[in-house]
Amino acid sequence: MSAPSVIAPLSVLDLSPIPEGSDAAQSLRNTLDLARHCERLGFHRYWLAEHHSMPGIASAATAVVIGHVAAGTSTIRVGAGGIMLPNHSPLVIAEQFGTLESLFPGRIDLGLGRAPGSDQATARALRRNLDSDADQFPQDVLELMHYFEPPRPGQTVRAVPGTGLQVPVWILGSSLFGAQLAAELGLPYAFASHFAPAQMMDAIALYRARFRPSRHLQKPYVMLGLSVFAADTDEEAHFLASSMQQAFVNLRSGNPTPLLPPVEGYVDSLMPHQLAILEHTMSCSVIGAPDTVRRGIDAFVARTGADELMITAQIFSHTARRHSYALTAAATGMRGGTA
């Protein structure tokens, strides 16, 4: 294998996948095991995402799972990628993440998104009140950040824990909206290119062009999602990736399922409209043996100028998933990376 040249830090996005035939309890045990594994490998952060009413995802109570992972690790940063703020009161999130920061100081990240993380029926069931509105997202972000500031004279509502704590806030997005908001507020920006890549390059350009330095961040910082399926051979990696491919096709067809076992030749069995779904949603993916992975990640960083990558790997077998992250770490020259 030729020498790695990736220089962007690598982090992990874990959706706590629930494989067919398993359950959420086992998935959450797997999440902690994978977090410890990735900490040893040298990954920078370990983020969990808020999704609801999804039979294949166990991280709905995101702050609870973050506490579970942070308690079972010691150095890796742990956070939300992200909390879907329209589902919640900003004060409640400030209290939750103030609590996490108090328990695990200097290790907690808070990524915020404005999508519900669910279908419309579930979004209605999640509503924090009848007037919840995703268009209020910028105001909700400002309110939430206010709760982390030192208390002001006469301030009657405080986040306890939360007030006066340094909890890094990120803006997440898959469109130009989040890029513009992150730029205006001077916050780091994470783009969901691993499943919604259409506006990635435009969003990066807008964020960097309009970025305003703040007390939180002096220059733009972009983290991009990237699906990576690494295995000992290219053929095996493509086989493992078929679980994620099935998940995307089923979800876009209105039939979300647990994470299904991999299928030989899955792509060859698809109809044209299903192939189109995969070509779009998985265009920011790297699939292959270590050399293929290294070249793919190098090319992605060169094309985007990403400051950090958040690697996700929805793989049916937990053993194969652990191996994928180990191979990725080795291919990119991370300190703990061994195949």
Side-chain angles (χ1 to χ4, degrees):
M1 183 171 67
S2 55
S5 57
V6 175
I7 58 173
L10 300 186
S11 294
V12 177
L13 176 63
D14 179 13
L15 301 184
S16 291
I18 304 174
E20 185 179 57
S22 187
D23 57 25
Q26 184 59 52
S27 294
L28 294 171
R29 288 191 289 270
N30 289 345
T31 280
L32 180 55
D33 179 70
L34 184 64
R36 289 170 170 164
H37 180 58
C38 289
E39 181 176 67
R40 290 190 294 269
L41 291 170
F43 284 89
H44 185 46
R45 318 174 194 273
Y46 198 96
W47 279 11
L48 296 127
E50 178 184 348
H51 293 276
H52 298 279
S53 195
M54 301 285 285
I57 297 176
S59 55
T62 314
V64 178
V65 185
I66 289 170
H68 172 62
V69 171
T73 55
S74 58
T75 58
I76 196 168
R77 295 193 66 89
V78 187
I83 293 294
M84 301 297 105
L85 198 50
N87 297 337
H88 308 280
S89 155
L91 175 59
V92 169
I93 298 305
E95 291 171 340
Q96 289 178 359
F97 280 79
T99 300
L100 289 167
E101 177 64 23
S102 298
L103 291 169
F104 311 105
R107 294 182 57 209
I108 300 300
D109 297 325
L110 173 53
L112 300 172
R114 70 178 184 130
S118 61
D119 57 68
Q120 289 304 308
T122 304
R124 286 192 293 272
L126 280 165
R127 69 191 185 280
R128 65 179 192 238
N129 60 59
L130 292 175
D131 298 320
S132 292
D133 183 356
D135 292 336
Q136 289 293 114
F137 180 64
Q139 290 74 29
D140 286 345
V141 171
L142 290 172
E143 180 183 344
L144 174 53
M145 293 174 65
H146 169 72
Y147 290 127
F148 290 135
E149 295 173 358
R152 299 174 182 176
Q155 181 177 335
T156 57
V157 180
R158 300 183 183 185
V160 183
T163 184
L165 296 181
Q166 301 297 316
V167 180
V169 172
W170 293 66
I171 299 298
L172 278 57
S174 58
S175 69
L176 303 185
F177 182 93
Q180 182 168 330
L181 180 62
E184 290 178 357
L185 298 181
L187 296 175
Y189 180 53
F191 189 86
S193 37
H194 59 291
F195 73 88
Q199 293 186 290
M200 177 182 70
M201 297 306 294
D202 289 340
I204 293 170
L206 185 150
Y207 170 69
R208 288 176 173 151
R210 299 190 183 180
F211 182 84
R212 298 176 181 176
S214 71
R215 64 184 178 86
H216 307 286
L217 191 65
Q218 289 299 301
K219 61 181 182 179
Y221 193 92
V222 175
M223 179 159 60
L224 301 178
L226 183 67
S227 292
V228 177
F229 300 87
D232 295 324
T233 65
D234 286 355
E235 294 75 18
E236 183 184 0
H238 281 277
F239 174 66
L240 295 176
S242 67
S243 292
M244 186 73 251
Q245 291 165 341
Q246 293 176 79
F248 275 137
V249 169
N250 292 340
L251 180 62
R252 295 297 191 271
S253 302
N255 181 36
T257 62
L259 192 64
L260 298 175
V263 175
E264 290 283 1
Y266 174 70
V267 172
D268 296 334
S269 71
L270 296 179
M271 302 291 288
H273 74 280
Q274 295 171 319
L275 285 172
I277 290 173
L278 289 186
E279 287 174 3
H280 168 69
T281 55
M282 296 196 68
S283 62
C284 290
S285 300
V286 176
I287 305 171
D291 269 345
T292 304
V293 165
R294 179 190 55 79
R295 290 193 299 269
I297 294 178
D298 279 350
F300 187 71
V301 172
R303 177 162 67 96
T304 62
D307 297 294
E308 186 171 339
L309 298 182
M310 182 145 278
I311 304 299
T312 185
Q314 293 286 84
I315 294 173
F316 182 81
S317 161
H318 182 61
T319 300
R321 194 166 178 236
R322 283 173 51 97
H323 190 49
S324 178
Y325 278 105
L327 291 174
T328 299
T332 55
M334 290 172 57
R335 60 175 168 81
T338 60

